[in-house]
Amino acid sequence: MAEHNVTVETTLATLLAAKKYSTIKDILVTMNPADIAALFEEMEQDRIPLLFRLLPKELAAETFVEMDPDLQELLIKGFSDSELREVIEELYIDDAADLVEEMPANVVKRILTQADPEMRKQINEILRYPENSAGSIMTTEYVSLRPAMTVSEAITRIRRTGVDKETIYTCYVTENRKLLGFITVKDLLLCQDDDTVVTEIMVENVISVTTRTDQEEVAQMLSRYHFLALPVLDDDERMVGIVTFDDAMDIIEEETTEDIEKMAGMLPSEKTYLRSSPFETFKQRIPWLMLLMVSATFTGMIITSFEDALAVQVALTAFIPMLMDTGGNSGSQASVTIIRALSLDELEFSDLPRVIWKEIRTAVLCGIALGAVCFLKIILIDRLLLGNESITVLIALAVCITLAATILVAKLVGCSLPMVASKLGFDPAVMASPFITTIVDALSLLVYFGIANAILL
Amino acid sequence: MAEHNVTVETTLATLLAAKKYSTIKDILVTMNPADIAALFEEMEQDRIPLLFRLLPKELAAETFVEMDPDLQELLIKGFSDSELREVIEELYIDDAADLVEEMPANVVKRILTQADPEMRKQINEILRYPENSAGSIMTTEYVSLRPAMTVSEAITRIRRTGVDKETIYTCYVTENRKLLGFITVKDLLLCQDDDTVVTEIMVENVISVTTRTDQEEVAQMLSRYHFLALPVLDDDERMVGIVTFDDAMDIIEEETTEDIEKMAGMLPSEKTYLRSSPFETFKQRIPWLMLLMVSATFTGMIITSFEDALAVQVALTAFIPMLMDTGGNSGSQASVTIIRALSLDELEFSDLPRVIWKEIRTAVLCGIALGAVCFLKIILIDRLLLGNESITVLIALAVCITLAATILVAKLVGCSLPMVASKLGFDPAVMASPFITTIVDALSLLVYFGIANAILL
């Protein structure tokens, strides 16, 4: 994709220099809005307004929606009032509400002034809902049918009112804004008798969400049920809007990136990697690094308190990195698996005993396999091959017992912390590798020196 | 969701014991197939065939598709030939092909015997394509229109042939199987003149994939362009099928889970967490643990070779865990960010210089901030508060310089390894935290002892 854009970019730059505007227009109109937006984002900013003005009205609005907020702001600032009005008129309500949320106050004021009164009312409606709720991402433009309509009347209504709707394929049968059922255009078209009343063929058990449902849950439901749209009801059970599958795909992508960032000990970022400045990336990464560095004071204290033992048996030190890394890796395997299962709704808190029992058995298998190989490795490679006489069989034994114990502790901490966090209403993704590594490090050092003291001294 | 199922599960168990089959049926028909499948998966296996037989034909097939392969196999083994035929008849071709791919040979033979000849031919067609290719996930059932058709003829054709199609909403205009353009049902319905010829209103610049395109790329394209379906062309540019958005959502979920598992040093698993046995989980986790444990031999060797220095300055040992953890965390922050950006197609190899330059600046900011805080922490907490006299200002300096250097190395290794791996055709996700931690550990110890030697001895 990106490689393709680079070529088009060069072509367009050449055409732009030669002022071949109609050729440029001919190229742009063959492209998909998402690709045009991606292309604009790689270009020098002063060229973009000129190119944008070449786009036909509808394509311009579709491209505008796909752009990053910075670029949207840049364009709006260059727009005349009538240009701005033209773009806004073409937007779907949910996209217009998103735009208003992203823009600074002075730009918002201009947008709302240019929007027609009905649209302004609907945008304000959506903005009332809390961020990341179904209400804040829904669109109020959907096809509603009356229960008494026949199939042919329904089709006529869709043909008359569908042009402004984000999707016409799922229609909602409502009476006084109460949702009675839904019917798809497929069902309507395939119904062989045009006089059938829609209530006869509609689906009555409608799965819906409320305006307060979290957007991630809405997206998971759309994905789970393979629906094109989900209806949104207010607290009085009246239908107020729909959320469509394309928004769900964007939300899932966004939320997954956020989870992955949290699991790697970062604050989530709003911008793509290349568009955020080093200072923004620094701010995103430094808090956890700082916290984890300071909390490593404990591991230092543990080592210091066993300084005398280490002075006698310096060989013990050589295995500290291996023990800590294996513990960290074992723990993050368990925690990452659990965090993903929680976010896909495959696990709930009541599964905790099953999870723990499973991790214990897995840890025993891993502990035996790794412990045995580690013992052989220490004796054969470290002692015989590398000729390190100070590594005795007792030291090897202490290391391997610690290794097995560390794996068990790491798996238990790794699987239970995210589940407990989720139960307590915290985000389980924060309980991932960096955090667990620090806990497991401290515990494994305590086990190590405890066992070493018992066996060796 | 899951909690809701537990309640229904208990109700159904009670009704089943009381043999209230018609009440059970009344409850099941109100439910969504995905929920019924989830419910069955939590029940005792011997009850499932009985419950499944209560479902009406179409709902039964839809529920069947949503089940795990184990459960599908269990049901098929209990089916009579005519029951099996009824389920297969209701399946879409791509679901039938998936089923054939998952089942053992003897079950496959029964399925193919019961499928009608046309379906058998189409299943075999799909199975010819390599796993994870667009060909292997497409369905051959789509609506095709002839270029000479008018809007009303097109609608008539959809109404006549649409019943078996997975989606009717995007129709493809073809001539001798060459794809000329596509048109949506929305465009057809909203076209006010029924005699318009479809070629006049169809979209001619069709974005398509080939049968060999990787399924992940297909899914990303559907998500990027917000399409309901993408056409699949064979090597002679003839249209052979479509991939629909619901399959794309499943693929994205699957591939993301796979990426996350690989990033945490696990082999990807086909089963959900609770359904895989401890031994299966063990096999998934042990290879990387084993490899990383053995490769930690290098860190051991480095420490051993500096044994004399450590014997003199035991205090140096206390900072090894902190240095290694901070290095590991810094490296995985960079690598995980890059891996995610690569999988979302936001980065390509030619961006490497920009990425490296950005990571250098971020690393300098992180290094200065962490180094300064670390220096204060060592002097104020470790030396003054905890009264550890053996920690001198020179030691604190050695630790902090090492810390800053480690962060720089970790960020550079973390950002460049995944990009190089991807360029060489390897999976970048494998180049994540555990792997990078091992490299960074070794490098940071070398820097530590090098600096300590220079400053302290």
Side-chain angles (χ1 to χ4, degrees):
Chain A
M1 222 83 53
E3 276 169 38
H4 166 74
N5 280 344
V6 175
T7 331
V8 181
E9 198 186 336
T10 329
T11 316
L12 285 185
T14 319
L15 290 169
L16 209 54
K19 302 197 174 167
K20 303 253 182 211
Y21 300 125
S22 74
T23 318
I24 296 177
K25 187 177 168 179
D26 290 344
I27 296 176
L28 290 177
V29 294
T30 67
M31 290 172 66
N32 183 286
D35 289 332
I36 303 178
L39 182 70
F40 282 5
E41 267 152 33
E42 303 209 346
M43 300 197 81
E44 283 168 43
Q45 293 207 326
D46 54 347
R47 290 176 178 170
I48 302 172
L50 178 59
L51 286 174
F52 188 81
R53 288 195 174 93
L54 293 175
L55 299 175
K57 222 166 79 174
E58 203 184 316
L59 185 60
E62 284 168 9
T63 304
F64 187 81
V65 169
E66 299 283 343
M67 291 177 181
D68 275 355
D70 318 8
L71 210 51
Q72 290 175 334
E73 195 180 330
L74 177 94
L75 280 174
I76 292 179
K77 288 189 169 153
F79 283 162
S80 70
D81 281 350
S82 68
E83 281 177 320
L84 180 59
R85 190 162 53 240
E86 274 188 8
V87 169
I88 294 170
E89 262 169 18
E90 292 284 330
L91 296 182
Y92 289 120
I93 293 290
D94 55 342
D95 294 327
D98 282 351
L99 183 66
V100 167
E101 263 177 331
E102 298 279 357
M103 293 296 112
N106 55 335
V107 177
V108 168
K109 214 179 140 195
R110 273 194 68 201
I111 294 174
L112 290 179
T113 314
Q114 295 309 321
D116 69 52
E118 174 59 19
M119 189 175 206
R120 194 158 54 231
K121 197 178 131 234
Q122 291 188 40
I123 292 175
N124 282 323
E125 186 95 352
I126 291 173
L127 292 179
R128 279 192 306 122
Y129 297 107
E131 213 187 336
N132 298 336
S133 68
S136 74
I137 54 162
M138 72 185 183
T139 178
T140 48
E141 298 158 319
Y142 57 90
V143 179
S144 62
L145 304 174
R146 285 193 309 277
M149 279 180 169
T150 63
V151 166
S152 69
E153 285 168 344
I155 293 178
T156 308
R157 180 171 163 85
I158 293 169
R159 297 186 79 159
R160 217 186 54 237
T161 65
V163 67
D164 290 329
K165 310 303 184 198
E166 189 155 345
T167 182
I168 63 162
Y169 299 136
T170 311
C171 305
Y172 299 89
V173 183
T174 56
E175 192 161 37
N176 300 324
R177 295 185 64 196
K178 294 271 176 201
L179 178 59
L180 305 178
F182 73 85
I183 187 162
T184 65
V185 164
K186 186 174 179 179
D187 293 334
L188 287 172
L189 283 182
L190 299 187
C191 179
Q192 299 305 327
D193 176 8
D194 279 353
D195 295 327
T196 311
V197 178
V198 291
T199 45
E200 286 174 40
I201 53 170
M202 72 180 182
V203 178
E204 284 177 61
N205 294 286
V206 191
I207 297 178
S208 63
V209 297
T210 77
T211 51
R212 283 170 290 97
T213 310
D214 187 80
Q215 62 170 3
E216 191 169 2
E217 200 183 324
V218 179
Q220 292 289 0
M221 284 171 76
L222 276 158
S223 162
R224 175 185 171 91
Y225 298 125
H226 299 155
F227 287 154
L228 287 175
L230 264 180
V232 183
L233 309 186
D234 69 9
D235 290 337
D236 302 323
E237 303 243 301
R238 285 171 315 188
M239 179 157 176
V240 288
I242 56 170
V243 178
T244 49
F245 80 98
D246 51 324
D247 296 323
M249 288 178 126
D250 292 345
I251 290 164
I252 289 176
E253 186 177 301
E254 229 173 74
E255 299 272 355
T256 308
T257 302
E258 231 182 271
D259 274 3
I260 291 177
E261 285 172 333
K262 284 185 198 153
M263 284 195 247
M266 288 177 275
L267 303 182
S269 136
E270 295 270 300
K271 293 190 187 176
T272 61
Y273 176 74
L274 282 180
R275 294 186 71 80
S276 42
S277 71
F279 187 66
E280 285 166 328
T281 306
F282 161 75
K283 282 191 297 183
Q284 201 193 339
R285 294 185 185 174
I286 196 73
W288 274 103
L289 285 183
M290 197 63 90
L291 188 67
L292 295 169
M293 182 205 65
V294 173
S295 70
T297 309
F298 295 107
T299 53
M301 282 166 63
I302 294 169
I303 291 184
T304 308
S305 68
F306 288 93
E307 220 164 52
D308 300 336
L310 282 176
V312 179
Q313 293 279 2
V314 184
L316 285 178
T317 312
F319 298 104
I320 291 180
M322 187 275 288
L323 288 172
M324 288 182 8
D325 280 352
T326 309
N329 289 337
S330 304
S332 62
Q333 286 180 336
S335 65
V336 162
T337 307
I338 298 296
I339 292 166
R340 180 69 180 158
L342 284 170
S343 88
L344 293 181
D345 236 344
E346 290 171 4
L347 277 182
E348 54 186 297
F349 189 70
S350 62
D351 292 319
L352 187 59
R354 278 172 76 188
V355 169
I356 288 181
W357 175 225
K358 188 181 149 171
E359 287 297 334
I360 290 178
R361 287 177 293 165
T362 308
V364 168
L365 289 171
C366 288
I368 292 174
L370 283 176
V373 171
C374 185
F375 189 83
L376 287 175
K377 191 215 81 160
I378 293 178
I379 298 298
L380 296 179
I381 298 182
D382 297 342
R383 185 176 164 85
L384 298 180
L385 190 68
L386 301 176
N388 194 334
E389 294 288 318
S390 62
I391 299 173
T392 62
V393 173
L394 278 183
I395 288 187
L397 211 60
V399 170
C400 294
I401 295 174
T402 307
L403 184 64
T406 302
I407 292 170
L408 183 63
V409 170
K411 296 269 183 222
L412 287 179
V413 173
C415 76
S416 47
L417 267 191
M419 293 190 77
V420 172
S422 149
K423 176 72 181 173
L424 297 179
F426 296 109
D427 187 340
V430 175
M431 296 295 153
S433 14
F435 193 72
I436 284 170
T437 302
T438 306
I439 297 178
V440 169
D441 279 357
L443 291 176
S444 68
L445 283 174
L446 283 175
V447 173
Y448 189 36
F449 293 125
I451 290 174
N453 262 336
I455 295 188
L456 301 172
L457 301 178
Chain B
M1 222 85 51
E3 275 167 40
H4 167 74
N5 280 343
V6 175
T7 331
V8 180
E9 199 187 335
T10 328
T11 316
L12 285 185
T14 318
L15 289 169
L16 210 53
K19 301 198 173 166
K20 303 253 185 214
Y21 300 125
S22 73
T23 318
I24 296 177
K25 186 176 168 180
D26 290 345
I27 296 176
L28 290 177
V29 295
T30 67
M31 290 172 65
N32 183 286
D35 289 332
I36 303 178
L39 182 70
F40 282 4
E41 267 151 33
E42 302 209 346
M43 300 197 82
E44 285 168 41
Q45 294 206 327
D46 54 348
R47 290 176 178 169
I48 302 171
L50 178 58
L51 286 174
F52 188 81
R53 288 195 174 91
L54 293 175
L55 299 174
K57 223 166 77 173
E58 203 183 315
L59 185 60
E62 283 168 10
T63 304
F64 187 81
V65 169
E66 299 283 344
M67 291 177 180
D68 274 354
D70 318 8
L71 210 51
Q72 290 175 333
E73 195 181 330
L74 178 94
L75 279 174
I76 293 179
K77 287 190 170 153
F79 281 161
S80 70
D81 281 351
S82 68
E83 281 177 320
L84 180 59
R85 190 163 52 240
E86 273 187 9
V87 169
I88 294 171
E89 261 169 17
E90 292 285 330
L91 296 181
Y92 289 120
I93 292 290
D94 56 341
D95 294 328
D98 282 353
L99 183 66
V100 166
E101 264 178 331
E102 297 280 358
M103 292 296 114
N106 56 336
V107 177
V108 168
K109 215 179 137 193
R110 272 193 69 201
I111 295 173
L112 290 179
T113 314
Q114 294 308 321
D116 69 52
E118 175 58 20
M119 189 175 206
R120 194 157 55 230
K121 196 178 130 235
Q122 291 188 40
I123 292 175
N124 282 323
E125 186 94 353
I126 292 172
L127 292 180
R128 280 193 304 124
Y129 297 107
E131 214 187 335
N132 298 338
S133 69
S136 75
I137 54 162
M138 70 184 183
T139 178
T140 48
E141 297 157 323
Y142 57 89
V143 179
S144 62
L145 303 174
R146 284 193 309 279
M149 280 179 168
T150 63
V151 166
S152 70
E153 285 168 343
I155 293 178
T156 309
R157 180 173 162 85
I158 294 169
R159 295 186 80 158
R160 218 185 52 237
T161 65
V163 66
D164 290 328
K165 311 303 185 200
E166 189 155 343
T167 182
I168 63 162
Y169 298 136
T170 311
C171 305
Y172 298 90
V173 183
T174 57
E175 191 161 39
N176 300 324
R177 298 184 62 197
K178 294 271 176 201
L179 178 58
L180 305 178
F182 74 86
I183 188 163
T184 65
V185 163
K186 185 173 178 179
D187 294 333
L188 287 173
L189 284 182
L190 299 187
C191 178
Q192 299 304 329
D193 176 7
D194 278 353
D195 295 326
T196 311
V197 178
V198 291
T199 44
E200 285 174 41
I201 53 171
M202 73 181 182
V203 179
E204 286 177 60
N205 295 288
V206 191
I207 297 178
S208 63
V209 295
T210 76
T211 51
R212 283 170 289 98
T213 311
D214 187 79
Q215 62 169 4
E216 192 169 0
E217 199 183 325
V218 179
Q220 292 289 0
M221 284 171 76
L222 276 158
S223 161
R224 175 183 173 91
Y225 298 125
H226 299 156
F227 287 155
L228 287 175
L230 262 181
V232 183
L233 309 186
D234 68 10
D235 290 336
D236 303 323
E237 303 242 302
R238 286 171 313 188
M239 177 154 178
V240 288
I242 56 170
V243 178
T244 50
F245 80 98
D246 50 326
D247 296 323
M249 288 179 126
D250 292 344
I251 290 165
I252 289 175
E253 187 178 303
E254 232 172 72
E255 300 271 354
T256 308
T257 303
E258 234 183 87
D259 273 4
I260 292 177
E261 285 173 333
K262 284 184 199 155
M263 284 194 247
M266 288 178 276
L267 304 182
S269 136
E270 296 270 299
K271 293 189 186 174
T272 61
Y273 176 73
L274 281 181
R275 294 185 72 80
S276 42
S277 70
F279 188 67
E280 286 167 326
T281 306
F282 161 74
K283 282 191 298 182
Q284 203 194 338
R285 293 182 186 176
I286 196 74
W288 273 102
L289 285 183
M290 197 63 91
L291 187 67
L292 296 168
M293 180 205 67
V294 173
S295 70
T297 308
F298 295 108
T299 52
M301 282 166 63
I302 294 169
I303 291 185
T304 306
S305 68
F306 287 93
E307 221 164 53
D308 299 338
L310 282 176
V312 179
Q313 294 278 3
V314 185
L316 284 178
T317 313
F319 298 104
I320 291 180
M322 186 276 286
L323 289 172
M324 287 184 6
D325 281 352
T326 308
N329 290 337
S330 303
S332 62
Q333 285 180 336
S335 65
V336 162
T337 307
I338 298 296
I339 292 167
R340 181 68 181 158
L342 284 170
S343 87
L344 293 181
D345 237 344
E346 290 171 5
L347 277 182
E348 54 186 297
F349 188 70
S350 62
D351 293 319
L352 188 58
R354 279 172 75 188
V355 169
I356 288 182
W357 176 226
K358 187 180 151 173
E359 287 298 332
I360 289 177
R361 288 176 293 167
T362 308
V364 168
L365 289 171
C366 288
I368 291 173
L370 282 177
V373 172
C374 185
F375 189 83
L376 288 175
K377 192 215 80 162
I378 293 178
I379 299 298
L380 295 179
I381 299 182
D382 298 341
R383 186 177 163 84
L384 297 180
L385 191 67
L386 301 176
N388 193 333
E389 295 287 320
S390 62
I391 300 173
T392 62
V393 173
L394 279 182
I395 287 187
L397 211 60
V399 170
C400 294
I401 295 173
T402 307
L403 184 64
T406 302
I407 291 170
L408 183 63
V409 170
K411 296 267 183 224
L412 287 179
V413 173
C415 76
S416 46
L417 267 192
M419 295 191 75
V420 172
S422 149
K423 176 72 180 172
L424 298 177
F426 297 110
D427 186 340
V430 174
M431 296 294 153
S433 12
F435 192 72
I436 284 170
T437 302
T438 305
I439 296 178
V440 170
D441 279 357
L443 291 175
S444 68
L445 284 174
L446 283 175
V447 173
Y448 189 35
F449 293 124
I451 291 173
N453 262 336
I455 295 188
L456 301 173
L457 300 179

